Amino acid sequence: MDAVQQATCGHPGAPMGLADVGEVFWREVLKHNPNNPQWFDRDRFVLSNGHASMLLYSMLHLSGYAVSIDDIKRFRQLHSKTAGHPEYGECPGVETTTGPLGQGFANAVGFAIAERELARTFNRDGFEVVDHRTWVIVGDGCLMEGISHEAASLAGTLGLSKLVCIYDDNGISIDGKVDAWFSEDVGARFEAYGWHVIRNVDGHDPAAVARALAAAREQNKPTLIRCRTVIGFGAPHKQGTADAHGAALGADEVSLARRTLNWSYAPFEIPDAIYREWDCRAAGAQRERAWNELMDRYRVAHPAAARELDRRIAGRLPDGWSDALDALARSAQEKPEDLETRKSSQRCLDALGGKVPELIGGSADLTGSNNTRWKGAKDLTAEACGDYVSYGVREFAMTAITNGLALHGGFIPFSGTFLIFMEYARNAVRLASLMKVRNILVYTHDSVALGEDGPTHQPIEQLANLRATPNLSTWRPCDTAETAVAWHAAIARKDGPTALVLTRQKTKAQTRSETAFVSIARGGYVLVPETGALRAIVIATGSEVALAVGAAQKLANDGIGVRVVSMPSVDVFLAQDDAYRESVLPRSVRARVAVEAGHTSSWYRFVGLDGAVVGIDRFGLSAPGPQAMAELGVTVDNVVAVVRGVVKAASA
Ligand SMILES: Cc1ncc(C[n+]2csc(CCOP(=O)(O)OP(=O)(O)O)c2C)c(N)n1
Ligand SMILES: [Mg+2]
């Protein structure tokens, strides 16, 4: 209340309504060590209703994390740890960035899957070395959002019994009393998903909350605890109303709340007795020490498993992890074979399968189309440990769940869908990027060339959208060699997600020099050098690289020297030093054409005012792929004509 008042903005209602729940949960239930927020076997806690960030910051502060009272005073200020919504990486104890409602809940499902799979893999008789729970608080908003329906459904089917969701059932969202827009029986809905539901818990009765939290531990299903609370509890005029949701209460109401709650201390003044009662540091250190001792004994009793678990926790890739993948790139370079790049990707996965056990794959019900399943993959189910998740038709939950898997540690997730349905998952792609997590996004059927499924399925603006996302690395490889290099980059990358954009249709395998081959990893490189004087440069990606090469050959026959640059990753190319970029795209050559069967907007920074883009700035059409491409001008002949045009203009 005081922090929001000081900031003159923020959300006091949910933190005040959840304070009683928070007290019981943080002091008595959560397994954590404030001195080491990274302790691996800690419980994971997610505040899915991220607008209630002041609840989390208060709990972190009181229980002894490195969140000081000054940090609390600087709520929502520039460069403070206590951002408006909890930001992963900026504040100790924040396990994931939340704010877009519902996504934290899906992250929590990912955490719970990660914990169970690690436990299944590494625990031995008498050695429960992986044994923690995932707790998530949600509000009405999270449970209205479709993503929570997707994720709850999968969590129920998978029987994630160590996942507990506390529902802040206060009957209020921004527009007022939710009855008028959110009236279903949430408990019945969750029971139908296969959850255990604990109803009618008075969220302001600590004993009732404690009982419910204890009961949740005993279930063989995920549990939803429905806590009835009063938003803005204690603020006499605003409690129980939407006025308490998202604005400072005002000085008068704050002092009245002090009186109602019988709290006589000044803002930010907390009596020592309270600090003493709340301090979780000694108990947390003791818990971590006990776990460290268990791990020491485990290392003696099960040395091989322990080495592997230590490696997984540290996030170190296994020695030689990429040998087979790199060999695949090499053999594709030496013996080019035309292939759909989605199938090239499958070969990459076959080369990785088994060698990188932290890889956990999946698809949103398009496994056979996305080619995401490798030989030897095992289904992850309620009953059995596995490394392949059938996410069902749930792109958004899949992406947010894989964010949770990556955040938990011990896993490198990848998952597939059609490029067009990335849009269903879009905000989770954005949060993966914001949080810089290693999440690999496989997007197949990457252009109008997918053909007959037509404009609903044909991506246009999606590549431009991915490329505009900060911290996201996007690759659109042209053949197997480039695909293998892209997979290598995606797995080696520790500081962000990677989108792999792949074709449905066969692409022509390119022949390239050794220099070109080793330069693939630089994101853009000279694939075909010009014959004679350099008159123009054609830049292309993916399936359009073959068109560019074909056009360059025709133009060479007419004595026009054209260089073909393959640019599978714009962001990786832009990260190269200036000298390298200049060697590929000399500034002096302004006759440039980019070719990509997608929106043209990515390319003007490369072709400039004197260049041109062969792309598609309209929706596609239902027709066989080659006809759709021809109708939209993505052909060798059109590239030739456009290059001639820019060459002519340059020499005029
Ligand atoms: C995806 C998404 N849509 C909209 C918002 C804006 N928003 C923030 S809180 C909120 C209302 C949430 O209601 P509830 O979860 O019941 O929160 P309470 O008012 O009880 O704190 C909305 C619409 C958001 N943060 N995320
Ligand atoms: Mg609410």
Side-chain angles (χ1 to χ4, degrees), residues 388-401:
Y388 195 81
V389 184
S390 290
Y391 287 98
V393 193
R394 302 183 182 102
E395 296 81 8
F396 193 9
M398 172 174 78
T399 308
I401 288 171

Side-chain angles (χ1 to χ4, degrees), residues 11 13-15 49 51-52 85 99-103 138-145 167-168 170-175 178 231 242 244-246 427:
H11 301 79
N49 50 343
H51 61 275
H85 293 81
L101 297 171
Q103 266 190 83
V138 299
D140 299 296
C142 295
L143 294 186
M144 281 185 247
E145 285 290 353
Y167 169 25
D168 179 31
N170 60 19
I172 293 291
S173 64
I174 292 180
D175 280 358
V178 299
I231 192 170
H245 166 90
N427 204 263

Side-chain angles (χ1 to χ4, degrees), residues 90-168:
E90 292 187 6
C91 181
V94 172
E95 302 278 7
T96 177
T97 294
T98 52
L101 297 171
Q103 266 190 83
F105 177 80
N107 295 156
V109 173
F111 284 125
I113 293 174
E115 192 272 348
R116 190 172 68 177
E117 293 312 296
L118 288 174
R120 283 168 162 177
T121 307
F122 290 104
N123 287 353
R124 301 287 184 273
D125 250 5
F127 293 96
E128 305 277 302
V129 288
V130 181
D131 183 17
H132 51 271
R133 278 164 207 283
T134 303
W135 309 89
V136 52
I137 297 185
V138 299
D140 299 296
C142 295
L143 294 186
M144 281 185 247
E145 285 290 353
I147 186 173
S148 68
H149 298 233
E150 296 178 16
S153 163
L154 186 61
T157 300
L158 292 179
L160 299 172
S161 57
K162 287 164 95 175
L163 173 64
V164 182
C165 177
I166 301 165
Y167 169 25
D168 179 31

Side-chain angles (χ1 to χ4, degrees), residues 338-635:
D338 297 354
L339 202 65
E340 302 81 348
T341 55
R342 62 187 169 120
K343 292 198 178 153
S344 306
S345 172
Q346 166 109 51
R347 290 190 184 175
C348 295
L349 287 168
D350 287 339
L352 288 163
K355 299 186 186 67
V356 188
E358 54 269 54
L359 271 182
I360 183 165
S363 166
D365 206 41
L366 288 168
T367 293
S369 300
N370 300 145
N371 298 85
T372 37
R373 197 182 168 100
W374 66 100
K375 291 190 199 102
K378 284 201 291 295
D379 286 316
L380 186 160
T381 63
E383 295 77 29
C385 183
D387 48 19
Y388 195 81
V389 184
S390 290
Y391 287 98
V393 193
R394 302 183 182 102
E395 296 81 8
F396 193 9
M398 172 174 78
T399 308
I401 288 171
T402 50
N403 282 343
L405 283 163
L407 286 163
H408 181 279
F411 287 101
I412 301 175
F414 70 91
S415 60
T417 184
F418 290 155
L419 177 57
I420 200 71
F421 301 132
M422 172 278 293
E423 304 217 317
Y424 270 45
R426 171 66 202 154
N427 204 263
V429 177
R430 186 170 191 273
L431 283 190
S433 307
L434 179 60
M435 293 190 277
K436 301 188 179 168
V437 293
R438 178 161 44 185
N439 191 355
I440 301 172
L441 311 161
V442 177
Y443 296 133
T444 68
H445 297 58
D446 69 349
S447 76
V448 297
L450 66 85
E452 293 85 341
D453 276 335
T456 58
H457 283 51
Q458 292 166 334
I460 299 292
E461 70 279 28
Q462 288 62 39
L463 265 164
N465 179 315
L466 293 173
R467 291 193 184 115
T469 308
N471 304 339
L472 177 65
S473 192
T474 301
W475 287 80
R476 185 171 186 251
C478 74
D479 62 8
T480 304
E482 284 192 3
T483 306
V485 172
W487 263 107
H488 185 120
I491 291 175
R493 181 170 195 228
K494 283 192 162 161
D495 60 351
T498 300
L500 301 174
V501 177
L502 307 168
T503 64
R504 172 184 186 228
Q505 78 281 16
K506 266 201 171 61
T507 64
K508 183 154 174 28
Q510 297 300 322
T511 27
R512 52 172 83 67
S513 67
E514 179 63 19
T515 314
F517 177 66
V518 298
S519 303
I520 296 172
R522 306 190 80 161
Y525 62 98
V526 179
L527 173 65
V528 182
E530 60 280 7
T531 351
L534 174 56
R535 302 277 299 283
I537 299 172
V538 179
I539 309 165
T541 77
S543 43
E544 285 66 70
V545 168
L547 294 186
V549 172
Q553 271 157 5
K554 284 198 173 182
L555 289 157
N557 294 341
D558 294 347
I560 301 173
V562 175
R563 170 184 295 189
V564 178
V565 170
S566 177
M567 198 177 290
S569 177
V570 170
D571 57 278
V572 172
F573 179 72
L574 288 173
Q576 304 302 309
D577 59 67
D578 194 56
Y580 177 75
R581 283 186 282 135
E582 174 68 18
S583 74
V584 176
L585 298 175
R587 280 182 182 79
S588 58
V589 182
R590 299 171 67 132
R592 301 175 176 195
V593 174
V595 189
E596 185 172 74
H599 198 267
T600 57
S601 57
S602 300
W603 295 108
Y604 286 100
R605 72 187 298 162
F606 293 105
V607 302
L609 295 175
D610 300 331
V613 184
V614 175
I616 306 173
D617 289 339
R618 52 158 280 186
F619 291 118
L621 36 87
S622 173
Q627 289 175 33
M629 292 281 267
E631 179 77 12
L632 297 167
V634 190
T635 60

Side-chain angles (χ1 to χ4, degrees), residues 210-222:
R211 270 197 308 278
L213 290 167
R217 295 170 163 277
E218 307 303 320
Q219 307 305 322
N220 58 2
K221 302 169 169 183

